[in-house]
């Protein structure tokens, strides 16, 4: 099933022709409408005429989150406010939020991209979908909301939190699909069991998860707990929100809506464009956005592009699940570590749950880490030798995967704070 079959199954040559055409138009558009870009492009000596092939994109300077922040709030907007009909923003832990604005056409394009990905995941107009993302400036809830409504599904805009009520509604209203972060899906299942509901007996058959990383092992746990089919989708508020990419039923990477987003993979240190198939930082140029178009936006997410044809019939390139963010990568004793690698190891160990935190610290002027992990069965804490054996097993597995020795702290169940949004996996206590 497709939402916009013609666009989703274009021949590669046609896609590239369209991308080149849109890219040239975009360069003209931002040059005319955004003084920030005019200055940047002038400095780099780039005009639309200089872009003769898609690889000429390399002449265009990158845009970063800092550029959006430095021009806060509207400096990168390409349309007067009378044409902007919606604002979203990403919270950001420090400094100004990144504010993004949408024209009416942007909202339509966004909804189409989301309708595409939910259809690719297997949603239909028959579905009753509970949206457990927080409504508000975060793009997750309203993004999925409009795309699903456009499809004709029944949307329950319950927002995040109040987990027992989520379960009551799910049961009473016959929810068939769940929209949330993977972490929250796991937490709802946990609460369900506590209040005597087996999530597997509910009607939820499809999980439309996204907004944070989720290892395959974690995904299997969620599927098992709910008896559902889970798909992943990727996006970020600067690019529109959810809708940039999503998995089809084959779940072999997330199809990027290439008629609207032009992806590249670069070396995040040198800034050089990488060869096809290599891992690196994902950079995206928005080809259709009017409100706040972005030229070569550095996402900081580390991924890889797969141009092979997909069995589903979609021709759009697939991005691998991000390994993490280039700024989340931790260098410990010279080894690059992504939290997702640690998660894959932990999830494969039956005695520990999916709740963990990586605590970074400074030891002898070097970065080091410990891992706090919740036990599934708290009574293990009194069985010293079993506990020690478990710690050894985890250390050994991590050593095999990461080549690093980590201190493991096994904790009582429920001692790590639960969240209805993105999980906080890293506690950074390093001396700056
Ligand atoms: O999280 C948009 C979104 C909402 C996507 C709902 C999917 C579903 P931001 O809050 O701006 O936007 O966060 C963007 O989240 O740069 C990634 O690091 C991370 N991220 C988003 N989706 C995924 C995913 C939304 N599927 C940042 N896998 C991005 C891994 C993801 N990381």
């Amino acid at each position: 099933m497709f939402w916009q079959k013609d666009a989703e199954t274009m021949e590669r040559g046609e896609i590239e022709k369209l991308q080149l055409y849109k890219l040239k138009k975009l360069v003209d558009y931002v040059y005319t409408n955004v003084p920030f870009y005019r200055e940047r492009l002038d400095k780099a000596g780039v005009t639309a005429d200089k872009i003769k092939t898609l690889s000429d994109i390399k002449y265009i300077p990158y845009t970063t989150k800092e550029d959006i922040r430095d021009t806060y709030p509207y400096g990168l907007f390409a349309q007067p406010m009378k044409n902007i009909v919606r604002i979203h923003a990403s919270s950001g832990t420090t400094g100004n939020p990144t504010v993004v604005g949408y024209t009416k056409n942007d909202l339509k394009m966004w909804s189409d991209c989301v309708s595409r990905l939910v259809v690719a995941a297997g949603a239909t107009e028959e579905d009753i979908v509970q949206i457990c993302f927080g409504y508000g400036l975060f793009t997750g809830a309203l993004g999925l909301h409009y795309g699903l409504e456009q499809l004709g599904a029944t949307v329950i805009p319950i927002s995040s939190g109040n987990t027992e009520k989520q379960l009551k509604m799910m049961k009473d209203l016959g929810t068939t699909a769940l929209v949330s972060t993977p972490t929250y899906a796991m937490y709802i299942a946990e609460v369900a069991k506590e209040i005597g509901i087996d999530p597997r007996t509910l009607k939820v058959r499809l999980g439309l998860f996204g907004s944070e990383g989720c290892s395959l092992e974690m995904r299997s746990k969620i599927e098992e707990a709910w008896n559902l089919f889970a798909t992943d989708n990727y996006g970020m508020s600067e690019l529109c929100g959810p809708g940039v990419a999503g998995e089809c039923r084959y779940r072999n990477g997330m199809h990027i809506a290439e008629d609207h987003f032009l992806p590249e993979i670069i070396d995040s240190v040198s800034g050089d464009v990488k060869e096809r198939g290599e891992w690196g930082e994902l950079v995206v140029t928005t080809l259709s956005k009017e409100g706040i178009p972005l030229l070569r936006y550095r996402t900081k997410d580390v991924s890889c592009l797969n141009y092979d044809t997909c069995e589903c019939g979609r021709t759009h390139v697939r991005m691998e699940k991000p390994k993490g963010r280039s700024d989340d990568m931790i260098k410990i004793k010279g080894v690059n570590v992504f939290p997702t690698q640690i998660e894959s190891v932990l999830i494969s160990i039956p005695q520990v749950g999916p709740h963990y935190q990586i605590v970074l610290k400074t030891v002898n002027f070097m970065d080091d880490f410990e891992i706090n992990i919740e036990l599934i069965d708290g009574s293990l804490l009194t069985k010293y030798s079993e506990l020690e054996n478990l710690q050894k097993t985890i250390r050994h597995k991590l050593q095999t995967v990461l080549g690093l020795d980590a201190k493991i702290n096994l904790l009582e169940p429920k001692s790590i704070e639960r969240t209805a949004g993105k999980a906080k996996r890293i506690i950074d206590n390093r001396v700056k």
Side-chain angles (χ1 to χ4, degrees), residues 65-233:
K65 198 180 189 85
E66 287 68 47
D67 293 329
I68 305 183
R69 286 213 170 119
D70 292 349
T71 53
Y72 176 82
Y74 299 138
L76 292 191
F77 281 30
Q79 286 288 318
M81 290 312 284
K82 73 176 169 57
N83 295 336
I84 300 291
V85 295
R86 175 92 67 78
I87 293 285
H88 280 283
S90 77
S91 47
T93 40
T94 50
N96 286 331
T98 37
V99 173
V100 289
Y102 304 69
T103 63
K104 284 186 182 162
N105 288 335
D106 290 338
L107 288 186
K108 174 71 177 104
M109 182 275 281
W110 187 17
S111 302
D112 282 337
C113 289
V114 173
S115 299
R116 283 184 197 176
L117 78 86
V118 298
V119 169
T124 73
E125 58 186 7
E126 306 278 339
D127 276 302
I128 301 177
V129 191
Q130 196 152 326
I131 299 194
C132 315
F133 281 138
Y135 278 72
L137 289 175
F138 175 57
T139 51
L142 284 167
L144 265 302
H145 183 117
Y146 276 70
L148 283 157
E149 250 182 26
Q150 174 168 261
L151 166 65
T154 309
V155 171
I156 308 175
I158 190 163
S159 202
S160 59
N162 204 343
T163 308
E164 291 196 17
K165 185 168 163 207
Q166 299 272 4
L167 282 157
K168 178 175 167 47
M169 299 301 263
M170 226 170 254
K171 203 166 151 209
D172 295 351
L173 303 182
T175 300
T176 60
L178 187 62
V179 168
S180 72
T181 55
T183 330
Y184 192 46
M186 202 68 217
Y187 180 51
I188 305 177
E190 200 173 278
V191 172
K193 285 177 195 151
E194 271 167 26
I195 60 173
I197 299 175
D198 176 0
R200 296 178 61 88
T201 62
L202 298 171
K203 292 200 179 123
V204 184
R205 61 165 194 97
L206 178 65
L208 299 163
F209 301 130
S211 187
E212 65 179 7
C214 176
S215 60
L216 291 178
E217 294 81 359
M218 169 90 151
R219 160 145 99 191
S220 303
K221 288 232 157 171
I222 300 173
E223 291 189 318
E224 173 65 23
W226 285 93
N227 190 26
L228 56 67
F229 182 82
T231 57
D232 191 6
N233 73 86

Side-chain angles (χ1 to χ4, degrees), residues 31-43:
Y31 191 91
T32 312
N33 293 297
V34 188
F36 167 91
Y37 279 124
R38 193 175 314 138
E39 208 176 291
R40 279 266 168 107
L41 291 169
D42 273 342
K43 219 165 159 187

